[in-house]
Amino acid sequence: MKTESRLRNNLREVRTRLGMSQQDVAALAGVTRQTISGVESDLYTPSAAVAMKIARALGCRVEDLFWFEEDAPEIEAAPARGAPAGSSLRVALGRVGGRWVAHPLIGDQAFRTEMIPADGVGTLAPGASSMRVRLLDDLETVTGTVILAGCSPATSLWVRAAQRWNPGLRVHWVFANSTAGLEALRRGEVHAAGVHLHDPDTGEHNVPFVRRALPDGTVVLVNLGTWEEGLLVQAGNPLSIRSAADLAARGVRIVNREPGAGSRGVLEHALRREGVPTAAVSGFDDVVTGHLEVAQAVASGRAHAGVSTAAVAAAYGLGFVPLLQVRYDIAIPKEYLDEAPVRQLLSMLNHRRFRAQLEALGGYDIRRTGDIVATVEPAAQG
């Protein structure tokens, strides 16, 4: 006998995004607050009438709030040329000439580099600390922008989902490693910064680095996910690289990340643990600035190895030698949490559609995604 499908919902996420309490939704829907609480906690399955009332109260469709766990639709699609057989693929779908076509999201096709439209133009005078900018967009549109620094490739999935689900939201992603992102946060240039820094002496993730970079204010750390960092190696691992110690072998050449990058710290710690001096590693000073650049260097044969994440290795079809699980957090000064665009962006971390994208990407532990994992208070005075 077929088991009954379980009705799931994302009522809490939608309600939170709209800044509404359970009582607010209950009053608009004409139901009790206990009904809303029961639905959110999966203790109560609403009738069709109640589901419609709740959806109407939130200004959305019933299917945007409720779905059956086993009711994911399927379609037939023709694979685009070059799609590899025999493995699970992330794809982009389009209806072309009356049929669905699936383009595999692998290698360079998994990422996009594009020209970013300007919000304005201006000139900074020599020695000046401010400048006049002529807007090229509406002031109201520009005002709803969150500026986010980070280096995780998954950031683009998060940003795209957030902007799609919140039509008035704009996110400008500034590419920066963890240390540079915290420095931009300290300078007041961004709302939030992605951080994946590990202290090998204490085993702590991110907190001591945030405390040092931002000693004067309260900073909240919201988890994006925990990822596996390690050595990207060529497909099939032809040089049999099994640990950081193997990077000192004759004929092995690496690329490295810039100082301040979390991945560089992972490599340096792994080499110290193995007793390998950095001078013994060919290419240690050959620096690239980004996870994708590491993957491209290894995939092209410019290097035999470099540190990045399991998700990036999978996207490029490379081998992966794990070194360390690292927590990737979003650092946000507490005062920014009251801003509606920031709340909208953060609420997307708990949205089922973004979490499904992160799971499909692979290499991420999402059990704490969207959780506040730490609150870093100002350093004690005296």
Side-chain angles (χ1 to χ4, degrees):
M1 176 180 292
K2 183 178 179 180
T3 58
E4 184 178 351
S5 295
R6 182 183 178 192
L7 186 68
R8 303 297 301 274
N9 73 85
N10 62 346
L11 174 56
R12 178 182 285 109
E13 290 83 357
V14 175
R15 173 178 62 75
T16 302
R17 173 176 61 82
L18 295 175
M20 300 173 69
S21 67
Q22 290 181 343
Q23 187 59 52
D24 293 333
V25 178
L28 287 172
V31 299
T32 66
R33 187 196 64 78
Q34 288 78 10
T35 295
I36 301 301
S37 176
V39 172
E40 289 186 353
S41 58
D42 287 329
L43 296 176
Y44 170 69
T45 301
S47 67
V50 170
M52 290 179 67
K53 289 179 180 179
I54 294 173
R56 187 182 303 155
L58 294 171
C60 63
R61 301 176 302 171
V62 172
E63 54 266 39
D64 289 331
L65 287 177
F66 302 95
W67 68 96
F68 286 113
E69 193 170 48
E70 301 172 8
D71 198 24
E74 295 182 352
I75 63 169
E76 290 290 326
R81 178 174 293 185
S87 60
S88 175
L89 292 174
R90 297 170 58 245
V91 301
L93 288 168
R95 194 161 180 81
V96 183
R99 67 170 186 168
W100 289 103
V101 180
H103 291 265
L105 295 176
I106 55 176
D108 291 339
Q109 298 302 325
F111 309 96
R112 288 291 182 268
T113 301
E114 57 189 18
M115 186 74 74
I116 300 173
D119 294 325
V121 293
T123 303
L124 178 64
S129 59
S130 64
M131 61 183 292
R132 298 287 297 175
V133 175
R134 178 168 58 87
L135 290 179
L136 301 177
D137 207 334
D138 297 332
L139 180 60
E140 182 179 357
T141 300
V142 176
T143 301
T145 303
V146 177
I147 304 180
L148 172 66
C151 67
S152 168
T155 301
S156 61
L157 301 179
W158 176 30
V159 168
R160 176 175 291 190
Q163 291 179 148
R164 179 180 179 183
W165 192 248
N166 302 273
L169 175 66
R170 296 197 333 160
V171 183
H172 178 58
W173 177 17
V174 178
F175 182 83
N177 68 40
S178 298
T179 302
L182 288 176
E183 291 171 353
L185 202 58
R186 176 179 54 79
R187 294 192 299 267
E189 297 172 353
V190 299
H191 292 95
V195 191
H196 63 109
L197 296 169
H198 176 255
D199 185 346
D201 295 327
T202 64
E204 283 193 276
H205 296 270
N206 301 324
V207 170
F209 302 92
V210 171
R211 182 173 288 118
R212 285 198 293 270
L214 299 156
D216 300 324
T218 301
V219 180
V220 174
L221 298 183
V222 181
N223 186 243
L224 177 70
T226 297
W227 64 13
E228 191 89 49
E229 289 199 66
L231 297 172
L232 273 59
V233 297
Q234 293 169 343
N237 198 1
L239 298 183
S240 298
I241 297 171
R242 305 298 180 193
S243 70
D246 294 330
L247 300 180
R250 181 183 296 273
V252 175
R253 180 173 181 81
I254 73 166
V255 288
N256 200 359
R257 288 291 305 279
E258 72 279 12
S263 297
R264 186 185 181 101
V266 169
L267 176 60
E268 291 175 344
H269 171 59
L271 291 173
R272 284 197 300 271
R273 188 176 61 229
E274 300 283 354
V276 177
T278 58
V281 178
S282 176
F284 185 85
D285 295 323
D286 186 359
V287 169
V288 296
T289 55
H291 292 280
L292 307 190
E293 287 77 4
V294 172
Q296 289 162 359
V298 176
S300 67
R302 171 185 163 188
H304 300 108
V307 173
S308 186
T309 71
V312 172
Y316 275 83
L318 298 172
F320 183 73
V321 179
L323 294 176
L324 184 69
Q325 282 197 325
V326 180
R327 207 177 69 209
Y328 193 102
D329 297 331
I330 310 300
I332 309 162
K334 187 177 181 180
E335 61 267 26
Y336 295 159
L337 294 178
D338 292 330
E339 299 186 16
V342 173
R343 292 200 308 270
Q344 291 175 335
L345 178 61
L346 291 178
S347 71
M348 201 66 208
L349 292 173
N350 288 312
H351 196 287
R352 66 185 180 91
R353 291 179 180 171
F354 169 66
R355 294 169 74 92
Q357 288 285 342
L358 209 54
E359 283 188 302
L361 188 61
Y364 284 82
D365 181 343
I366 66 169
R367 285 176 292 183
R368 303 200 69 184
T369 297
D371 290 352
I372 295 176
V373 292
T375 300
V376 185
E377 303 288 350
Q381 301 296 319

